[in-house]
């Protein structure tokens, strides 16, 4: 990718003060998503003179605004889309039970303010106003540029609809992220002239915040337009697969309506909002089905411990051959980058990130003990609520099929293609593994440690002890873990033609970096769960339960045990809500959805502390406390842990290596009911755990036990940064945040339909 440089820079006074974003075309790509070029400067007078030129401008919206596999933290870190969480341990997911480590949102020792940190850098600044292409307002300006110029271009109505529908979607997509973070923001639906005075007195550059309701209506209007203009499925999929469809636009409309109906915006639990969300999501399901979207492997996803469910990510369109699950998708490739040439290589580095260090991977992501322990048992119920006893040492026995495709644990195969690990890897410090992997087809994870001091395991970075299979150096224990995130992996056992090109070297790219696996940012399963939640809120309980049953039937639950759903939910709105949110935790784990769910349901503190910010902000619906209403524990005041499997031994070599059983492939029956195993390999692995290994849940949130998660009540609606208020003095600060100009508390109320 050639990093584009702006032709002109101006000092703006508008909230949209960014730049005349100079992004455009050089040529037309026949495969707009797989190649994803970053086109250079464009000529405004000729870009829209023909359909191909205009389409390249639309293609560029995809380049900058599609979710990326690297995810983002919302601070504009000099790369496309830095605001959409996708399941990585970013500041969004590290504010949930999925990952540990205090993010800025939950750090008890650091508070987000309207100002900058002591190092001069913002701790969060998504709204930021800047003269660069990474500002959200720059993306909105690009969408407005397409909309204005296509409307007046000499194209057919069909061509105009095709282009406009995509631009309307992306403008709404950008505003969705702004509004869910800040509430009401300025609505800019035209291209502002960046040169002061070109529009007269410059008043069009001064745009105040609009009410949250007006912003939500604006987003929904754009999405309605997009849904009416776009096809349910593009006819030429070889060229256009991955473009926005009418179903995606309607699904995002349903997602926006669901957020608007959720407690963070809907403190009084207004039923009309739930009904609107129900209608929008029901229409989304209808449109998606018209386009051939649905639950892939709907009738056999749970076979062999969720093998087919895991294959959703092993197909370019998330499909079982007849049904496509990928509603919103980002494509990648394995093209080489050539020095001095445009960067055509667009790699998905998730596979590299989650693979263990001794596979030449990035070291793996550490799930918390809390999320491992909350996954259902084999009967579909939570541990502790199930009739199946939960053994915390043999935590992997008798679990929901999705458990085995979401986590990797000691004694399980995790195959990859091509050659083995290089024994000349300098990071190994010359230490040769006792069982070097000559091929990835032989790889099994043995991620446990041994130590002669059990108390030492209480620390995040253990000061002594050894890890099996060179999963860490003896001098560096930080980051070592027993349980790995396995979700969305390209497992050779399931997929014989991997998306990655395995590179056995220490160069860049290395390991699994060069990977073309697609990113599924929204699946049909999410839309179905959005519908279930909206239907519950609107009182359509049977339809909500029916949607849950579809999700659970795919992974093997049947009517014989009520699809593993808890009793008593059919007539209890709160219990049904809780069951739906729990299903989202499991089905959508590590896909970037959990922070949004916790934010909109105010699950950090149940909504307590809102009345202290403003009396009218108190929850009057949902029993006055969403956590109590749902029967869940607030995240505030808690700590997260990692599971460390260990044995007590003072040896310098693995004391259990000679006693290891054969690893399991996940084709086995992983159940043990009343002490009876159905598979001998499973019994042997369970015995190995019981005889040789113990379990410690080690603090992931620092060694100071006094420090616990603190998500401040003001974070449900973040305030504006100092630079935004200085750039546009008409921007009122959010209630609960310091207003720089007035030197007082902010006046803008995200929950009010009245402007200050």
């Amino acid at each position: 990718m050639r990093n584009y440089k702006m032709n002109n820079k101006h000092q703006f006074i508008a909230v949209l003060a960014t730049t005349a974003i100079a992004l455009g075309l050089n040529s037309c790509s026949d495969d707009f998503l797989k190649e994803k070029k970053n086109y250079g400067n464009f000529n405004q007078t000729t870009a829209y003179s023909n359909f191909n030129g205009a389409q390249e401008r639309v293609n560029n919206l995809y380049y900058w605004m599609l979710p990326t596999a690297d995810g983002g933290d919302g601070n504009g870190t000099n790369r496309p889309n830095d605001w959409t969480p996708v399941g990585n341990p970013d500041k969004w997911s590290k504010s949930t039970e999925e990952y540990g480590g205090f993010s800025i949102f939950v750090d008890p020792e650091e508070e987000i303010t309207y100002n900058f940190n002591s190092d001069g850098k913002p701790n969060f600044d998504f709204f930021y106003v800047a003269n660069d292409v990474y500002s959200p307002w720059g993306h909105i300006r690009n969408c407005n540029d397409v909309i204005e110029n296509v409307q007046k271009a000499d194209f057919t109505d069909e061509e105009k609809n095709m282009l406009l529908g995509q631009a309307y979607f992306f403008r709404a997509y950008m505003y969705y992220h702004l509004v869910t973070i800040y509430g009401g923001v300025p609505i800019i639906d035209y291209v502002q002239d960046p040169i002061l005075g070109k529009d007269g007195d410059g008043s069009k550059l001064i745009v105040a915040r609009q009410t949250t309701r007006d912003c939500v209506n604006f987003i929904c209007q754009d999405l309605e337009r997009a849904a009416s203009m776009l096809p349910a499925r593009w006819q030429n999929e070889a060229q256009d697969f991955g473009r926005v469809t009418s179903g995606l636009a309607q699904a995002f409309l349903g997602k926006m309506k669901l957020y608007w109906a959720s407690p963070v915006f809907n403190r009084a639990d207004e039923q009309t909002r739930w009904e609107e969300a129900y209608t929008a999501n029901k229409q989304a399901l209808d449109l998606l089905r018209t386009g051939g979207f649905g639950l892939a492997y709907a009738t056999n996803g749970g076979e062999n411990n969720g093998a087919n469910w895991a294959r959703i990510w092993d197909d370019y369109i998330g499909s079982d051959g007849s049904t496509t699950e990928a509603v919103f998708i980002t494509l990648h490739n394995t093209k080489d980058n050539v020095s001095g040439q445009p960067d055509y290589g667009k790699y998905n580095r998730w596979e590299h990130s989650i693979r263990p260090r001794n596979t030449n991977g990035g070291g793996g992501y550490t799930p918390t003990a809390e999320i491992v322990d909350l996954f259902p048992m084999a009967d579909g119920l939570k541990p502790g609520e199930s009739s199946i006893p939960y053994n915390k040492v043999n935590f992997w026995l008798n679990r929901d099929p999705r458990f085995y495709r979401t986590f990797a644990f000691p004694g399980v195969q995790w195959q990859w293609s091509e050659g083995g690990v290089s024994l000349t890897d300098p990071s190994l410090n010359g230490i040769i593994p006792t069982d070097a992997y000559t091929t990835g087809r032989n790889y099994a994870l043995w991620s446990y440690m041994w130590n002669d001091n059990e108390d030492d395991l209480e620390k995040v970075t253990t000061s002594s002890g050894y890890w099996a299979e060179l999963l860490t150096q003896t001098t560096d224990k930080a980051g070592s873990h027993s349980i790995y995130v396995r979700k969305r992996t390209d497992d050779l056992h399931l997929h014989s033609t991997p998306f990655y090109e395995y590179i056995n070297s220490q160069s860049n790219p290395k390991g699994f970096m060069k990977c073309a696996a697609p990113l599924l940012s929204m699946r049909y399963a999410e839309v179905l769960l959005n519908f279930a939640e909206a239907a519950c809120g609107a009182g359509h309980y049977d339809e909500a339960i029916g949607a849950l049953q579809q999700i659970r039937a795919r992974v093997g639950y049947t009517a014989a045990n009520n699809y593993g759903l808890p009793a008593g939910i059919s007539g209890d709105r709160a219990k049904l809500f809780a069951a739906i949110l729990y299903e989202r935790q499991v089905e959508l784990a590590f896909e970037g959805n959990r922070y949004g769910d916790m934010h909109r349901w105010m699950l950090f503190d149940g909504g307590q502390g809102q009345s202290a910010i403003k009396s009218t902000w108190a929850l009057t619906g949902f029993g006055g406390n969403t956590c109590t209403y749902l029967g869940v524990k607030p995240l505030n005041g808690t700590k997260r842990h990692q599971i460390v499997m260990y044995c007590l031994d003072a040896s310098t070599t693995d004391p259990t290596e000679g006693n290891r059983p054969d690893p399991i492939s996940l084709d086995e029956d992983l159940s043990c009911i009343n002490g009876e195993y159905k598979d001998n390999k499973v019994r042997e692995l369970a015995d190995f755990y019981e005889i040789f290994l113990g379990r410690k849940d080690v603090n992931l949130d620092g060694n100071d036990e006094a420090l616990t998660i603190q998500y401040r009540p003001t974070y449900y609606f973040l305030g504006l940064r100092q630079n935004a208020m200085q750039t546009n003095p008409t921007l009122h600060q959010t209630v609960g945040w310091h207003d720089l100009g007035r030197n007082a508390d902010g006046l803008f109320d995200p929950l009010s339909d009245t402007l200050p």
Side-chain angles (χ1 to χ4, degrees):
M1 178 184 76
R2 279 192 302 241
N3 290 328
Y4 113 96
K5 296 181 179 179
M6 295 173 290
N7 290 329
N8 302 293
K9 293 184 179 180
H10 305 278
Q11 183 65 39
F12 303 142
I13 59 174
V15 64
L16 190 54
T18 50
T19 177
I21 305 294
L23 301 172
L25 66 141
N26 284 332
S27 61
C28 181
S29 170
D30 291 332
D31 197 347
F32 86 110
L33 280 176
K34 291 181 183 177
E35 202 160 90
K36 288 203 296 293
K37 300 174 184 176
N38 177 20
Y39 296 97
N41 299 334
F42 74 98
N43 186 324
Q44 185 84 31
T45 61
T46 60
Y48 298 99
S49 62
N50 61 76
F51 177 77
N52 286 340
Q55 182 159 271
E56 293 294 0
R57 288 287 291 134
V58 171
N59 291 352
N60 200 253
L61 299 180
Y62 285 87
Y63 175 85
W64 287 105
M65 299 181 72
L66 274 179
T68 66
D70 292 334
D73 273 2
N75 280 349
T77 54
N78 296 325
R79 57 186 174 84
N81 193 329
D82 185 44
W83 60 87
T84 304
V86 296
N88 302 309
D90 54 27
K91 62 165 53 85
W92 318 106
S93 294
K94 288 173 75 173
S95 301
T96 74
E97 75 286 331
E98 291 185 340
Y99 296 107
F102 290 130
S103 79
I104 185 59
F105 294 134
V106 298
D107 191 335
E109 295 188 302
E110 185 175 1
E111 183 175 0
I112 301 175
T113 70
Y114 78 97
N115 213 323
F116 292 87
N117 292 337
S118 58
D119 60 3
K121 297 179 181 179
N123 42 23
F124 186 80
D125 191 13
F126 178 51
F127 189 93
Y128 74 99
V129 178
N131 282 348
D132 64 38
V133 299
Y134 306 104
S135 164
W137 306 103
H139 299 308
I140 290 169
R141 189 184 197 281
N142 266 340
C143 294
N144 288 335
D145 178 78
V146 171
I147 292 168
E148 286 189 7
N149 285 285
V150 168
Q151 284 177 335
K152 60 188 179 185
D154 187 21
F155 302 154
T156 67
D157 288 345
E158 182 181 2
E159 289 173 332
K160 285 186 176 182
N161 285 344
M162 182 188 305
L163 299 171
L164 288 172
Q166 295 170 85
Y168 281 128
F169 170 82
F170 279 113
R171 185 169 72 178
Y173 179 65
M174 191 73 261
Y175 267 109
Y176 168 88
H177 288 282
L178 284 166
V179 169
T180 54
I181 293 172
Y182 297 101
V185 296
I187 296 176
I188 311 292
D189 60 357
Y190 58 92
V191 178
Q192 291 180 313
D193 197 305
I195 300 177
L196 183 62
K198 287 288 290 289
D199 62 347
D201 61 359
S203 60
K204 288 187 177 180
L205 297 180
I206 304 295
V207 182
R209 297 176 76 171
Q210 303 300 305
T211 68
T212 306
R213 184 184 296 273
D214 285 343
C215 290
V216 170
N217 289 340
F218 178 74
I219 293 168
C220 292
Q221 183 182 52
D222 270 2
L223 292 170
E224 287 168 356
R225 288 170 175 163
S228 69
M229 293 175 169
L230 295 171
R233 198 177 190 105
W234 291 81
Q235 291 184 351
N236 189 349
E237 286 207 334
Q239 175 177 313
D240 293 319
F241 174 71
R243 290 191 185 273
V244 179
T245 64
S246 60
L248 170 56
Q250 185 65 36
F252 238 90
L253 174 62
K255 188 169 184 172
M256 181 73 262
K257 293 279 191 182
L258 181 61
Y259 226 119
W260 183 237
S262 300
V264 70
F265 286 123
N266 188 16
R267 305 292 171 92
D269 196 10
E270 296 175 15
Q271 293 303 290
T272 54
R273 297 196 192 185
W274 288 110
E275 193 65 43
E276 289 176 4
Y278 161 76
T279 300
N281 280 288
K282 189 170 188 176
Q283 291 172 350
L285 293 175
D286 290 341
L287 268 176
L288 288 170
R289 284 192 290 264
T290 299
F293 296 88
L295 289 179
Y297 305 99
T299 60
N300 61 353
E303 295 179 2
N304 287 341
N305 300 305
N308 283 339
W309 181 80
R311 287 190 173 98
I312 294 168
W313 293 273
D314 284 344
D315 188 285
Y316 235 90
I317 56 176
S319 173
D320 63 357
S322 62
T323 301
T324 300
E325 181 141 349
V327 175
F328 194 16
I329 189 169
T330 302
L331 302 183
H332 298 88
N333 62 37
T334 56
K335 293 187 177 183
D336 290 318
N337 297 320
V338 180
S339 177
Q341 299 297 319
D343 183 354
Y344 296 129
K346 302 300 173 190
Y347 307 151
N348 182 343
R349 300 199 176 186
W350 172 265
E351 187 75 33
H352 183 78
S353 296
I354 65 172
R355 287 283 184 166
R357 177 174 170 171
N358 62 359
T359 68
N360 207 18
Y365 289 155
T366 310
T368 66
E370 284 72 18
I371 192 170
V372 170
D373 288 340
L374 71 77
F375 259 62
M377 301 301 290
D379 60 0
L381 298 175
K382 294 180 181 179
E385 297 178 5
S386 167
S387 61
I388 303 173
Y390 185 42
N391 183 329
K392 295 197 76 171
V393 172
N394 270 317
F395 57 87
W396 51 272
L397 282 173
N398 302 311
R399 304 304 292 270
D400 180 291
R402 292 166 292 186
F403 177 92
Y404 302 107
R405 308 299 172 173
T406 302
F407 306 106
F409 48 89
V412 66
Q413 291 181 7
W414 194 354
Q415 298 179 359
W416 82 87
S417 67
E418 307 302 335
V421 177
S422 171
L423 300 184
T424 60
D425 181 344
S427 70
L428 300 181
N429 289 338
I431 303 172
I432 305 300
T434 55
D435 181 18
Y437 296 105
T438 57
T439 172
R441 297 176 188 274
N442 294 338
Y443 182 77
L445 183 67
W446 292 104
S447 46
Y448 56 87
M449 73 168 299
W450 60 99
N451 194 312
D452 62 354
N453 182 5
E454 188 174 22
D455 292 337
D456 189 56
L457 293 170
E458 300 291 348
K459 300 178 182 178
V460 174
T461 56
T462 56
S463 59
S464 63
Y466 301 87
W467 282 81
E469 302 292 319
L470 293 178
L471 284 172
T472 187
Q473 300 173 36
T474 58
T475 57
D476 176 18
K477 306 301 185 299
S480 304
H481 47 283
S482 292
I483 317 302
Y484 288 70
V485 174
R486 186 180 181 131
K487 183 83 172 276
R488 295 151 48 191
T489 189
D490 195 354
D491 187 349
L492 187 70
H493 188 66
L494 301 180
H495 189 209
S496 60
T497 55
F499 287 117
Y500 55 80
E501 295 179 9
Y502 183 75
I503 301 173
N504 189 359
S505 75
Q506 290 302 299
S507 63
N508 189 354
K510 65 179 182 178
F512 306 87
M513 285 183 178
K514 198 173 178 183
C515 182
L519 170 66
L520 278 58
S521 302
M522 177 181 278
R523 296 190 283 126
Y524 186 88
E526 180 192 341
V527 184
L528 194 56
L529 286 166
N530 291 346
F531 169 75
E533 188 177 333
C536 175
H540 305 285
Y541 299 153
D542 288 346
E543 291 181 78
I545 292 172
L548 276 182
Q549 290 173 345
Q550 289 182 58
I551 295 288
R552 290 207 150 198
R554 171 163 63 176
V555 292
Y557 298 109
T558 67
N561 74 333
N562 191 32
Y563 299 93
L565 296 170
I569 63 173
S570 61
D572 190 314
R573 186 171 182 255
K575 286 183 178 180
L576 182 52
F577 266 137
I580 294 166
L581 288 167
Y582 176 60
E583 197 66 21
R584 294 178 69 93
Q585 281 182 282
V586 175
E587 175 70 25
L588 304 178
F590 304 105
E591 295 184 46
N593 289 278
R594 183 57 180 166
Y595 177 84
D597 289 349
M598 295 193 68
H599 174 261
R600 61 192 181 83
W601 272 92
M602 309 182 81
L603 298 182
F604 297 97
D605 61 358
Q608 304 308 290
Q610 295 297 292
S611 60
I613 301 173
K614 190 171 183 177
S615 60
T616 56
W617 283 18
L619 280 165
T620 56
F622 311 101
N625 185 317
T626 56
C627 290
T628 302
Y629 178 76
L630 296 170
V632 299
K633 184 178 181 180
L635 196 64
N636 272 4
T638 66
K639 298 181 76 71
R640 292 155 301 185
H641 305 81
Q642 67 165 312
I643 295 173
V644 174
M645 304 304 298
Y646 72 99
C647 62
L648 288 176
D649 197 284
S651 303
T652 58
T653 58
D654 187 349
T656 68
E657 187 174 7
N659 296 294
R660 284 184 195 164
D662 290 336
I664 58 176
S665 67
L666 296 183
D667 286 338
E668 300 85 359
D669 186 328
L670 296 171
S671 64
C672 175
I673 306 300
N674 297 323
E676 296 294 327
Y677 292 91
K678 294 184 178 180
D679 189 287
N680 191 53
K681 286 177 64 178
V682 175
R683 179 188 59 77
E684 290 176 349
L685 182 61
D687 287 346
F688 176 80
Y689 271 70
E690 291 287 352
I691 296 171
F692 293 101
L693 300 183
R695 167 177 165 170
K696 277 280 190 178
D697 290 356
V698 180
N699 191 342
L700 269 176
D701 292 333
N703 290 323
D704 187 343
E705 292 296 330
L707 296 179
T708 60
I709 290 171
Q710 183 179 358
Y711 186 94
R712 292 169 172 83
T714 53
Y715 291 1
Y716 289 111
F717 297 118
L718 291 184
L720 303 184
R721 278 276 179 200
Q722 174 180 329
N723 62 343
M725 291 182 282
Q726 290 173 327
T727 303
N728 181 354
T730 70
L731 286 178
H732 284 289
Q733 178 63 288
T734 306
V735 171
W737 293 79
H738 185 76
D739 190 306
L740 182 66
R742 296 174 52 252
N743 194 28
D745 189 59
L747 295 175
F748 183 86
D749 184 349
L751 296 179
S752 174
D753 291 339
T754 302
L755 293 172

